[in-house]
Amino acid sequence: MSCKGPFTEGTVCELKCPMAIRLIGSSIITCTRPASGYAGYWDGDGEPQCKKATCPPLRAPNNGALVCDKWSSGFMCQIQCNEDYDIPSSTSLPTYVCQDNGVWNNQHVPDCVYREYGEPLRMPKNYYFTGRCRPGHPEVKKSFLDYAEARDMCPIRAYCTVENVEIKCGDEVDDEFEYF
């Protein structure tokens, strides 16, 4: 809340939710007193609530990472692959947004599969990382932040930091050789 007490009739306050969580209802409330009483109440357009979309957890891809924001409680995620791996050719760009109805815009999380030497990349360069996946991998976090900022999915820049990016690593599976 952007105002401090004492609250008298006519005091106007602006409400905001922490991080980038969506505010439902009026962001402006006014201290109002009924004509027939002394006790005041806050008057606004509906009861203000901080509401975050809640979708079920997504699994991390094998040989890759599921990277999600924490500034809006995991509203947006993407997968990244180890540099020796890629998404299957039949898969579209792996970006996930939690919709207001509690369902991800894309339910399928593909595993990252071994990429033959010289085979072209199927995703933009910032969807790949070097070395082993680990929860604090700075390259993965930085790539995700670049992605979020380029798409204006970082409404409050102060929260779009590496500390507010979460990485879930998938299993490392050696699928380079197939046995028949």
Side-chain angles (χ1 to χ4, degrees):
M1 211 163 60
S2 68
C3 58
K4 298 178 182 170
F7 302 113
T8 57
E9 185 176 10
T11 301
V12 176
C13 296
E14 184 178 1
L15 305 174
K16 293 181 182 177
C17 294
M19 304 274 245
I21 297 172
R22 193 165 56 111
L23 176 68
I24 306 294
S26 180
S27 62
I28 305 292
I29 57 174
T30 305
C31 183
T32 306
R33 182 175 57 132
S36 62
Y38 294 101
Y41 62 93
W42 291 105
D43 188 23
D45 189 22
E47 184 178 337
Q49 299 176 27
C50 293
K51 181 171 173 140
K52 57 184 178 181
T54 52
C55 286
L58 292 169
R59 70 171 193 83
N62 289 340
N63 302 310
L66 180 70
V67 192
C68 301
D69 74 273
K70 289 197 302 191
W71 58 82
S72 61
S73 302
F75 162 79
M76 173 186 58
C77 299
Q78 74 172 190
I79 68 167
Q80 294 184 24
C81 293
N82 174 282
E83 65 186 344
D84 295 329
Y85 294 81
D86 210 333
I87 58 171
S89 59
S90 62
T91 305
S92 61
L93 200 58
T95 303
Y96 305 87
V97 177
C98 184
Q99 301 171 103
D100 287 341
N101 63 359
V103 176
W104 292 102
N105 68 324
N106 184 354
Q107 300 290 317
H108 176 66
V109 178
D111 288 324
C112 298
V113 296
Y114 185 74
R115 183 169 49 89
E116 294 292 331
Y117 179 77
E119 198 174 14
L121 299 174
R122 296 185 186 112
M123 302 184 293
K125 285 185 178 183
N126 63 334
Y127 279 71
Y128 301 93
F129 59 89
T130 55
R132 300 182 89 163
C133 180
R134 58 187 191 282
H137 201 297
E139 180 186 5
V140 172
K141 289 183 172 196
K142 174 80 170 83
S143 292
F144 181 75
L145 287 174
D146 291 346
Y147 164 82
E149 289 176 1
R151 285 156 186 80
D152 284 332
M153 296 180 134
C154 216
I156 303 172
R157 298 268 186 234
Y159 295 123
C160 299
T161 63
V162 292
E163 295 80 25
N164 286 327
V165 175
E166 185 173 54
I167 301 171
K168 188 172 14 172
C169 296
D171 293 333
E172 291 183 14
V173 177
D174 185 11
D175 65 353
E176 180 178 352
F177 302 102
E178 292 185 24
Y179 298 97
F180 297 96

mmCIF file of all heavy atoms in Angstrom, residues 102-143:
data_model
loop_
_atom_site.group_PDB
_atom_site.id
_atom_site.type_symbol
_atom_site.label_atom_id
_atom_site.label_comp_id
_atom_site.label_asym_id
_atom_site.label_seq_id
_atom_site.Cartn_x
_atom_site.Cartn_y
_atom_site.Cartn_z
ATOM 1 N N GLY A 102 -5.387 -21.968 -14.948
ATOM 2 C CA GLY A 102 -4.568 -22.967 -14.267
ATOM 3 C C GLY A 102 -4.036 -24.047 -15.185
ATOM 4 O O GLY A 102 -3.612 -25.103 -14.723
ATOM 5 N N VAL A 103 -4.022 -23.789 -16.486
ATOM 6 C CA VAL A 103 -3.532 -24.762 -17.466
ATOM 7 C C VAL A 103 -2.385 -24.121 -18.245
ATOM 8 O O VAL A 103 -2.467 -22.961 -18.649
ATOM 9 C CB VAL A 103 -4.667 -25.175 -18.437
ATOM 10 C CG1 VAL A 103 -4.154 -26.112 -19.518
ATOM 11 C CG2 VAL A 103 -5.806 -25.827 -17.675
ATOM 12 N N TRP A 104 -1.316 -24.884 -18.455
ATOM 13 C CA TRP A 104 -0.201 -24.395 -19.261
ATOM 14 C C TRP A 104 -0.641 -24.266 -20.712
ATOM 15 O O TRP A 104 -1.426 -25.083 -21.196
ATOM 16 C CB TRP A 104 0.989 -25.345 -19.175
ATOM 17 C CG TRP A 104 1.631 -25.376 -17.825
ATOM 18 C CD1 TRP A 104 1.470 -26.336 -16.870
ATOM 19 C CD2 TRP A 104 2.521 -24.413 -17.274
ATOM 20 N NE1 TRP A 104 2.211 -26.014 -15.756
ATOM 21 C CE2 TRP A 104 2.873 -24.843 -15.985
ATOM 22 C CE3 TRP A 104 3.061 -23.221 -17.756
ATOM 23 C CZ2 TRP A 104 3.733 -24.130 -15.161
ATOM 24 C CZ3 TRP A 104 3.934 -22.508 -16.941
ATOM 25 C CH2 TRP A 104 4.261 -22.965 -15.658
ATOM 26 N N ASN A 105 -0.123 -23.278 -21.418
ATOM 27 C CA ASN A 105 -0.436 -23.120 -22.841
ATOM 28 C C ASN A 105 0.091 -24.290 -23.664
ATOM 29 O O ASN A 105 -0.348 -24.526 -24.773
ATOM 30 C CB ASN A 105 0.133 -21.804 -23.384
ATOM 31 C CG ASN A 105 1.647 -21.808 -23.415
ATOM 32 O OD1 ASN A 105 2.317 -22.369 -22.539
ATOM 33 N ND2 ASN A 105 2.215 -21.163 -24.411
ATOM 34 N N ASN A 106 1.041 -25.023 -23.115
ATOM 35 C CA ASN A 106 1.628 -26.182 -23.775
ATOM 36 C C ASN A 106 1.894 -27.219 -22.690
ATOM 37 O O ASN A 106 2.621 -26.948 -21.740
ATOM 38 C CB ASN A 106 2.925 -25.765 -24.474
ATOM 39 C CG ASN A 106 3.554 -26.869 -25.268
ATOM 40 O OD1 ASN A 106 3.116 -28.020 -25.240
ATOM 41 N ND2 ASN A 106 4.607 -26.523 -25.996
ATOM 42 N N GLN A 107 1.312 -28.383 -22.807
ATOM 43 C CA GLN A 107 1.452 -29.414 -21.769
ATOM 44 C C GLN A 107 2.647 -30.333 -21.989
ATOM 45 O O GLN A 107 3.106 -30.992 -21.082
ATOM 46 C CB GLN A 107 0.183 -30.283 -21.715
ATOM 47 C CG GLN A 107 -1.074 -29.526 -21.394
ATOM 48 C CD GLN A 107 -1.107 -29.047 -19.963
ATOM 49 O OE1 GLN A 107 -0.751 -29.766 -19.044
ATOM 50 N NE2 GLN A 107 -1.523 -27.809 -19.760
ATOM 51 N N HIS A 108 3.155 -30.389 -23.218
ATOM 52 C CA HIS A 108 4.201 -31.354 -23.582
ATOM 53 C C HIS A 108 5.597 -30.780 -23.344
ATOM 54 O O HIS A 108 5.944 -29.746 -23.900
ATOM 55 C CB HIS A 108 4.044 -31.753 -25.052
ATOM 56 C CG HIS A 108 5.119 -32.669 -25.531
ATOM 57 N ND1 HIS A 108 5.263 -33.953 -25.058
ATOM 58 C CD2 HIS A 108 6.124 -32.481 -26.416
ATOM 59 C CE1 HIS A 108 6.295 -34.520 -25.645
ATOM 60 N NE2 HIS A 108 6.836 -33.638 -26.477
ATOM 61 N N VAL A 109 6.388 -31.451 -22.528
ATOM 62 C CA VAL A 109 7.779 -31.078 -22.309
ATOM 63 C C VAL A 109 8.634 -32.150 -22.982
ATOM 64 O O VAL A 109 8.727 -33.271 -22.484
ATOM 65 C CB VAL A 109 8.128 -30.988 -20.802
ATOM 66 C CG1 VAL A 109 9.602 -30.646 -20.619
ATOM 67 C CG2 VAL A 109 7.247 -29.975 -20.107
ATOM 68 N N PRO A 110 9.242 -31.815 -24.121
ATOM 69 C CA PRO A 110 10.055 -32.821 -24.806
ATOM 70 C C PRO A 110 11.407 -32.991 -24.125
ATOM 71 O O PRO A 110 11.917 -32.062 -23.490
ATOM 72 C CB PRO A 110 10.237 -32.217 -26.205
ATOM 73 C CG PRO A 110 10.240 -30.746 -25.952
ATOM 74 C CD PRO A 110 9.239 -30.541 -24.835
ATOM 75 N N ASP A 111 11.984 -34.170 -24.245
ATOM 76 C CA ASP A 111 13.348 -34.371 -23.778
ATOM 77 C C ASP A 111 14.301 -33.815 -24.824
ATOM 78 O O ASP A 111 13.989 -33.770 -26.017
ATOM 79 C CB ASP A 111 13.630 -35.866 -23.574
ATOM 80 C CG ASP A 111 12.912 -36.414 -22.361
ATOM 81 O OD1 ASP A 111 12.800 -35.682 -21.358
ATOM 82 O OD2 ASP A 111 12.463 -37.573 -22.408
ATOM 83 N N CYS A 112 15.452 -33.388 -24.385
ATOM 84 C CA CYS A 112 16.490 -32.959 -25.309
ATOM 85 C C CYS A 112 17.182 -34.228 -25.813
ATOM 86 O O CYS A 112 17.548 -35.089 -25.010
ATOM 87 C CB CYS A 112 17.494 -32.048 -24.598
ATOM 88 S SG CYS A 112 16.748 -30.521 -23.951
ATOM 89 N N VAL A 113 17.315 -34.353 -27.117
ATOM 90 C CA VAL A 113 17.893 -35.554 -27.727
ATOM 91 C C VAL A 113 19.247 -35.227 -28.339
ATOM 92 O O VAL A 113 19.515 -34.094 -28.723
ATOM 93 C CB VAL A 113 16.943 -36.162 -28.792
ATOM 94 C CG1 VAL A 113 15.658 -36.649 -28.131
ATOM 95 C CG2 VAL A 113 16.619 -35.158 -29.885
ATOM 96 N N TYR A 114 20.085 -36.246 -28.430
ATOM 97 C CA TYR A 114 21.447 -36.055 -28.927
ATOM 98 C C TYR A 114 21.426 -35.436 -30.323
ATOM 99 O O TYR A 114 20.647 -35.830 -31.181
ATOM 100 C CB TYR A 114 22.205 -37.389 -28.950
ATOM 101 C CG TYR A 114 23.642 -37.218 -29.334
ATOM 102 C CD1 TYR A 114 24.551 -36.665 -28.438
ATOM 103 C CD2 TYR A 114 24.091 -37.567 -30.606
ATOM 104 C CE1 TYR A 114 25.880 -36.481 -28.791
ATOM 105 C CE2 TYR A 114 25.415 -37.378 -30.968
ATOM 106 C CZ TYR A 114 26.307 -36.838 -30.052
ATOM 107 O OH TYR A 114 27.607 -36.647 -30.410
ATOM 108 N N ARG A 115 22.299 -34.447 -30.534
ATOM 109 C CA ARG A 115 22.395 -33.765 -31.817
ATOM 110 C C ARG A 115 23.679 -34.210 -32.504
ATOM 111 O O ARG A 115 24.766 -34.078 -31.953
ATOM 112 C CB ARG A 115 22.393 -32.251 -31.582
ATOM 113 C CG ARG A 115 22.407 -31.430 -32.846
ATOM 114 C CD ARG A 115 22.137 -29.952 -32.546
ATOM 115 N NE ARG A 115 22.924 -29.385 -31.480
ATOM 116 C CZ ARG A 115 24.117 -28.812 -31.648
ATOM 117 N NH1 ARG A 115 24.657 -28.720 -32.827
ATOM 118 N NH2 ARG A 115 24.757 -28.304 -30.614
ATOM 119 N N GLU A 116 23.545 -34.738 -33.692
ATOM 120 C CA GLU A 116 24.708 -35.168 -34.466
ATOM 121 C C GLU A 116 25.600 -33.972 -34.780
ATOM 122 O O GLU A 116 25.117 -32.861 -34.986
ATOM 123 C CB GLU A 116 24.264 -35.825 -35.785
ATOM 124 C CG GLU A 116 23.516 -37.134 -35.608
ATOM 125 C CD GLU A 116 24.396 -38.256 -35.070
ATOM 126 O OE1 GLU A 116 25.618 -38.255 -35.320
ATOM 127 O OE2 GLU A 116 23.845 -39.130 -34.380
ATOM 128 N N TYR A 117 26.887 -34.192 -34.857
ATOM 129 C CA TYR A 117 27.844 -33.132 -35.164
ATOM 130 C C TYR A 117 27.469 -32.492 -36.500
ATOM 131 O O TYR A 117 27.218 -33.181 -37.484
ATOM 132 C CB TYR A 117 29.268 -33.699 -35.226
ATOM 133 C CG TYR A 117 30.289 -32.646 -35.563
ATOM 134 C CD1 TYR A 117 30.703 -31.741 -34.597
ATOM 135 C CD2 TYR A 117 30.790 -32.533 -36.848
ATOM 136 C CE1 TYR A 117 31.620 -30.750 -34.895
ATOM 137 C CE2 TYR A 117 31.719 -31.551 -37.163
ATOM 138 C CZ TYR A 117 32.128 -30.662 -36.185
ATOM 139 O OH TYR A 117 33.034 -29.678 -36.485
ATOM 140 N N GLY A 118 27.416 -31.172 -36.538
ATOM 141 C CA GLY A 118 27.106 -30.446 -37.761
ATOM 142 C C GLY A 118 25.626 -30.255 -38.018
ATOM 143 O O GLY A 118 25.237 -29.498 -38.899
ATOM 144 N N GLU A 119 24.785 -30.942 -37.256
ATOM 145 C CA GLU A 119 23.339 -30.792 -37.423
ATOM 146 C C GLU A 119 22.940 -29.378 -36.977
ATOM 147 O O GLU A 119 23.418 -28.884 -35.963
ATOM 148 C CB GLU A 119 22.627 -31.840 -36.558
ATOM 149 C CG GLU A 119 21.209 -32.095 -36.926
ATOM 150 C CD GLU A 119 20.620 -33.253 -36.109
ATOM 151 O OE1 GLU A 119 21.209 -33.677 -35.098
ATOM 152 O OE2 GLU A 119 19.553 -33.704 -36.504
ATOM 153 N N PRO A 120 22.081 -28.680 -37.731
ATOM 154 C CA PRO A 120 21.719 -27.303 -37.357
ATOM 155 C C PRO A 120 20.911 -27.259 -36.055
ATOM 156 O O PRO A 120 20.203 -28.210 -35.709
ATOM 157 C CB PRO A 120 20.872 -26.820 -38.535
ATOM 158 C CG PRO A 120 20.358 -28.062 -39.175
ATOM 159 C CD PRO A 120 21.389 -29.131 -38.933
ATOM 160 N N LEU A 121 21.033 -26.137 -35.365
ATOM 161 C CA LEU A 121 20.268 -25.931 -34.137
ATOM 162 C C LEU A 121 18.805 -25.706 -34.485
ATOM 163 O O LEU A 121 18.484 -25.035 -35.454
ATOM 164 C CB LEU A 121 20.806 -24.718 -33.371
ATOM 165 C CG LEU A 121 22.262 -24.789 -32.907
ATOM 166 C CD1 LEU A 121 22.678 -23.458 -32.293
ATOM 167 C CD2 LEU A 121 22.464 -25.919 -31.926
ATOM 168 N N ARG A 122 17.898 -26.238 -33.666
ATOM 169 C CA ARG A 122 16.462 -26.076 -33.896
ATOM 170 C C ARG A 122 15.862 -24.933 -33.086
ATOM 171 O O ARG A 122 14.723 -24.550 -33.301
ATOM 172 C CB ARG A 122 15.734 -27.377 -33.567
ATOM 173 C CG ARG A 122 16.144 -28.513 -34.484
ATOM 174 C CD ARG A 122 15.314 -29.764 -34.230
ATOM 175 N NE ARG A 122 15.842 -30.832 -35.029
ATOM 176 C CZ ARG A 122 16.454 -31.906 -34.543
ATOM 177 N NH1 ARG A 122 16.586 -32.060 -33.248
ATOM 178 N NH2 ARG A 122 16.915 -32.833 -35.342
ATOM 179 N N MET A 123 16.634 -24.437 -32.126
ATOM 180 C CA MET A 123 16.164 -23.353 -31.263
ATOM 181 C C MET A 123 17.149 -22.188 -31.368
ATOM 182 O O MET A 123 18.273 -22.371 -31.826
ATOM 183 C CB MET A 123 16.075 -23.832 -29.805
ATOM 184 C CG MET A 123 15.171 -25.026 -29.574
ATOM 185 S SD MET A 123 15.009 -25.484 -27.816
ATOM 186 C CE MET A 123 16.648 -26.052 -27.371
ATOM 187 N N PRO A 124 16.756 -20.993 -30.907
ATOM 188 C CA PRO A 124 17.718 -19.879 -30.854
ATOM 189 C C PRO A 124 18.902 -20.242 -29.955
ATOM 190 O O PRO A 124 18.781 -21.054 -29.028
ATOM 191 C CB PRO A 124 16.898 -18.736 -30.245
ATOM 192 C CG PRO A 124 15.481 -19.095 -30.523
ATOM 193 C CD PRO A 124 15.410 -20.590 -30.488
ATOM 194 N N LYS A 125 20.047 -19.634 -30.209
ATOM 195 C CA LYS A 125 21.286 -19.968 -29.488
ATOM 196 C C LYS A 125 21.159 -19.871 -27.976
ATOM 197 O O LYS A 125 21.792 -20.618 -27.249
ATOM 198 C CB LYS A 125 22.431 -19.073 -29.958
ATOM 199 C CG LYS A 125 22.956 -19.445 -31.308
ATOM 200 C CD LYS A 125 24.160 -18.590 -31.651
ATOM 201 C CE LYS A 125 24.706 -19.008 -33.002
ATOM 202 N NZ LYS A 125 25.906 -18.254 -33.342
ATOM 203 N N ASN A 126 20.348 -18.933 -27.488
ATOM 204 C CA ASN A 126 20.255 -18.767 -26.032
ATOM 205 C C ASN A 126 19.403 -19.840 -25.356
ATOM 206 O O ASN A 126 19.144 -19.764 -24.168
ATOM 207 C CB ASN A 126 19.761 -17.366 -25.668
ATOM 208 C CG ASN A 126 18.363 -17.087 -26.176
ATOM 209 O OD1 ASN A 126 17.922 -17.667 -27.166
ATOM 210 N ND2 ASN A 126 17.662 -16.196 -25.511
ATOM 211 N N TYR A 127 18.976 -20.862 -26.084
ATOM 212 C CA TYR A 127 18.254 -21.987 -25.500
ATOM 213 C C TYR A 127 19.190 -23.167 -25.212
ATOM 214 O O TYR A 127 18.738 -24.259 -24.925
ATOM 215 C CB TYR A 127 17.150 -22.456 -26.438
ATOM 216 C CG TYR A 127 15.874 -21.638 -26.386
ATOM 217 C CD1 TYR A 127 15.822 -20.348 -26.887
ATOM 218 C CD2 TYR A 127 14.719 -22.171 -25.835
ATOM 219 C CE1 TYR A 127 14.656 -19.605 -26.851
ATOM 220 C CE2 TYR A 127 13.545 -21.438 -25.801
ATOM 221 C CZ TYR A 127 13.530 -20.153 -26.310
ATOM 222 O OH TYR A 127 12.369 -19.419 -26.268
ATOM 223 N N TYR A 128 20.494 -22.948 -25.304
ATOM 224 C CA TYR A 128 21.486 -24.007 -25.069
ATOM 225 C C TYR A 128 22.465 -23.539 -24.005
ATOM 226 O O TYR A 128 22.739 -22.353 -23.880
ATOM 227 C CB TYR A 128 22.247 -24.315 -26.367
ATOM 228 C CG TYR A 128 21.342 -24.761 -27.486
ATOM 229 C CD1 TYR A 128 20.831 -23.838 -28.388
ATOM 230 C CD2 TYR A 128 20.987 -26.093 -27.622
ATOM 231 C CE1 TYR A 128 19.981 -24.231 -29.406
ATOM 232 C CE2 TYR A 128 20.131 -26.492 -28.642
ATOM 233 C CZ TYR A 128 19.633 -25.559 -29.532
ATOM 234 O OH TYR A 128 18.785 -25.949 -30.528
ATOM 235 N N PHE A 129 22.990 -24.494 -23.258
ATOM 236 C CA PHE A 129 23.981 -24.157 -22.241
ATOM 237 C C PHE A 129 25.147 -25.126 -22.320
ATOM 238 O O PHE A 129 25.014 -26.232 -22.834
ATOM 239 C CB PHE A 129 23.361 -24.151 -20.825
ATOM 240 C CG PHE A 129 22.756 -25.464 -20.410
ATOM 241 C CD1 PHE A 129 23.524 -26.437 -19.775
ATOM 242 C CD2 PHE A 129 21.418 -25.728 -20.636
ATOM 243 C CE1 PHE A 129 22.964 -27.648 -19.380
ATOM 244 C CE2 PHE A 129 20.840 -26.930 -20.246
ATOM 245 C CZ PHE A 129 21.618 -27.891 -19.615
ATOM 246 N N THR A 130 26.278 -24.705 -21.790
ATOM 247 C CA THR A 130 27.469 -25.547 -21.781
ATOM 248 C C THR A 130 27.625 -26.202 -20.417
ATOM 249 O O THR A 130 27.161 -25.679 -19.404
ATOM 250 C CB THR A 130 28.731 -24.710 -22.091
ATOM 251 O OG1 THR A 130 28.802 -23.629 -21.162
ATOM 252 C CG2 THR A 130 28.683 -24.158 -23.500
ATOM 253 N N GLY A 131 28.263 -27.347 -20.413
ATOM 254 C CA GLY A 131 28.513 -28.053 -19.157
ATOM 255 C C GLY A 131 27.274 -28.757 -18.634
ATOM 256 O O GLY A 131 26.256 -28.866 -19.310
ATOM 257 N N ARG A 132 27.384 -29.207 -17.408
ATOM 258 C CA ARG A 132 26.276 -29.923 -16.772
ATOM 259 C C ARG A 132 25.260 -28.933 -16.224
ATOM 260 O O ARG A 132 25.603 -27.845 -15.794
ATOM 261 C CB ARG A 132 26.797 -30.789 -15.629
ATOM 262 C CG ARG A 132 27.803 -31.830 -16.097
ATOM 263 C CD ARG A 132 28.212 -32.660 -14.944
ATOM 264 N NE ARG A 132 27.259 -33.760 -14.905
ATOM 265 C CZ ARG A 132 27.453 -34.869 -14.233
ATOM 266 N NH1 ARG A 132 28.535 -35.022 -13.513
ATOM 267 N NH2 ARG A 132 26.554 -35.821 -14.251
ATOM 268 N N CYS A 133 24.025 -29.360 -16.212
ATOM 269 C CA CYS A 133 22.968 -28.544 -15.620
ATOM 270 C C CYS A 133 23.130 -28.557 -14.099
ATOM 271 O O CYS A 133 23.413 -29.590 -13.506
ATOM 272 C CB CYS A 133 21.599 -29.104 -16.008
ATOM 273 S SG CYS A 133 20.225 -28.156 -15.320
ATOM 274 N N ARG A 134 22.965 -27.399 -13.501
ATOM 275 C CA ARG A 134 22.950 -27.301 -12.039
ATOM 276 C C ARG A 134 22.018 -26.142 -11.669
ATOM 277 O O ARG A 134 21.848 -25.204 -12.444
ATOM 278 C CB ARG A 134 24.353 -27.126 -11.475
ATOM 279 C CG ARG A 134 25.102 -25.944 -11.961
ATOM 280 C CD ARG A 134 26.566 -25.958 -11.474
ATOM 281 N NE ARG A 134 27.205 -24.716 -11.736
ATOM 282 C CZ ARG A 134 27.677 -24.328 -12.912
ATOM 283 N NH1 ARG A 134 27.567 -25.126 -13.951
ATOM 284 N NH2 ARG A 134 28.244 -23.147 -13.062
ATOM 285 N N PRO A 135 21.387 -26.212 -10.527
ATOM 286 C CA PRO A 135 20.375 -25.209 -10.152
ATOM 287 C C PRO A 135 20.838 -23.758 -10.180
ATOM 288 O O PRO A 135 20.040 -22.865 -10.382
ATOM 289 C CB PRO A 135 19.958 -25.632 -8.744
ATOM 290 C CG PRO A 135 20.215 -27.101 -8.716
ATOM 291 C CD PRO A 135 21.452 -27.310 -9.557
ATOM 292 N N GLY A 136 22.127 -23.498 -10.021
ATOM 293 C CA GLY A 136 22.600 -22.116 -10.020
ATOM 294 C C GLY A 136 23.332 -21.720 -11.290
ATOM 295 O O GLY A 136 24.045 -20.731 -11.302
ATOM 296 N N HIS A 137 23.179 -22.469 -12.355
ATOM 297 C CA HIS A 137 23.924 -22.259 -13.603
ATOM 298 C C HIS A 137 23.719 -20.831 -14.127
ATOM 299 O O HIS A 137 22.637 -20.469 -14.567
ATOM 300 C CB HIS A 137 23.459 -23.270 -14.643
ATOM 301 C CG HIS A 137 24.428 -23.504 -15.754
ATOM 302 N ND1 HIS A 137 24.802 -22.523 -16.631
ATOM 303 C CD2 HIS A 137 25.096 -24.624 -16.129
ATOM 304 C CE1 HIS A 137 25.648 -23.023 -17.512
ATOM 305 N NE2 HIS A 137 25.845 -24.297 -17.224
ATOM 306 N N PRO A 138 24.763 -19.969 -14.074
ATOM 307 C CA PRO A 138 24.586 -18.562 -14.451
ATOM 308 C C PRO A 138 24.232 -18.357 -15.929
ATOM 309 O O PRO A 138 23.457 -17.463 -16.264
ATOM 310 C CB PRO A 138 25.937 -17.918 -14.112
ATOM 311 C CG PRO A 138 26.901 -19.044 -13.988
ATOM 312 C CD PRO A 138 26.124 -20.260 -13.625
ATOM 313 N N GLU A 139 24.789 -19.163 -16.831
ATOM 314 C CA GLU A 139 24.501 -19.029 -18.257
ATOM 315 C C GLU A 139 23.017 -19.292 -18.541
ATOM 316 O O GLU A 139 22.379 -18.567 -19.308
ATOM 317 C CB GLU A 139 25.372 -20.011 -19.041
ATOM 318 C CG GLU A 139 25.170 -19.975 -20.541
ATOM 319 C CD GLU A 139 25.957 -21.066 -21.261
ATOM 320 O OE1 GLU A 139 26.592 -21.931 -20.605
ATOM 321 O OE2 GLU A 139 25.927 -21.052 -22.493
ATOM 322 N N VAL A 140 22.454 -20.301 -17.883
ATOM 323 C CA VAL A 140 21.045 -20.642 -18.061
ATOM 324 C C VAL A 140 20.161 -19.510 -17.554
ATOM 325 O O VAL A 140 19.216 -19.080 -18.229
ATOM 326 C CB VAL A 140 20.707 -21.973 -17.345
ATOM 327 C CG1 VAL A 140 19.218 -22.252 -17.360
ATOM 328 C CG2 VAL A 140 21.477 -23.132 -17.978
ATOM 329 N N LYS A 141 20.466 -18.998 -16.374
ATOM 330 C CA LYS A 141 19.676 -17.906 -15.802
ATOM 331 C C LYS A 141 19.744 -16.652 -16.661
ATOM 332 O O LYS A 141 18.734 -16.012 -16.920
ATOM 333 C CB LYS A 141 20.144 -17.605 -14.371
ATOM 334 C CG LYS A 141 19.770 -18.689 -13.383
ATOM 335 C CD LYS A 141 20.177 -18.316 -11.978
ATOM 336 C CE LYS A 141 19.629 -19.311 -10.980
ATOM 337 N NZ LYS A 141 19.669 -18.798 -9.613
ATOM 338 N N LYS A 142 20.927 -16.292 -17.117
ATOM 339 C CA LYS A 142 21.102 -15.105 -17.948
ATOM 340 C C LYS A 142 20.333 -15.242 -19.264
ATOM 341 O O LYS A 142 19.663 -14.302 -19.704
ATOM 342 C CB LYS A 142 22.592 -14.879 -18.210
ATOM 343 C CG LYS A 142 22.900 -13.764 -19.187
ATOM 344 C CD LYS A 142 22.827 -12.404 -18.526
ATOM 345 C CE LYS A 142 23.363 -11.300 -19.406
ATOM 346 N NZ LYS A 142 22.449 -10.767 -20.380
ATOM 347 N N SER A 143 20.395 -16.397 -19.896
ATOM 348 C CA SER A 143 19.666 -16.620 -21.148
ATOM 349 C C SER A 143 18.163 -16.462 -20.944
ATOM 350 O O SER A 143 17.473 -15.871 -21.765
ATOM 351 C CB SER A 143 19.958 -18.020 -21.701
ATOM 352 O OG SER A 143 21.280 -18.110 -22.123
#
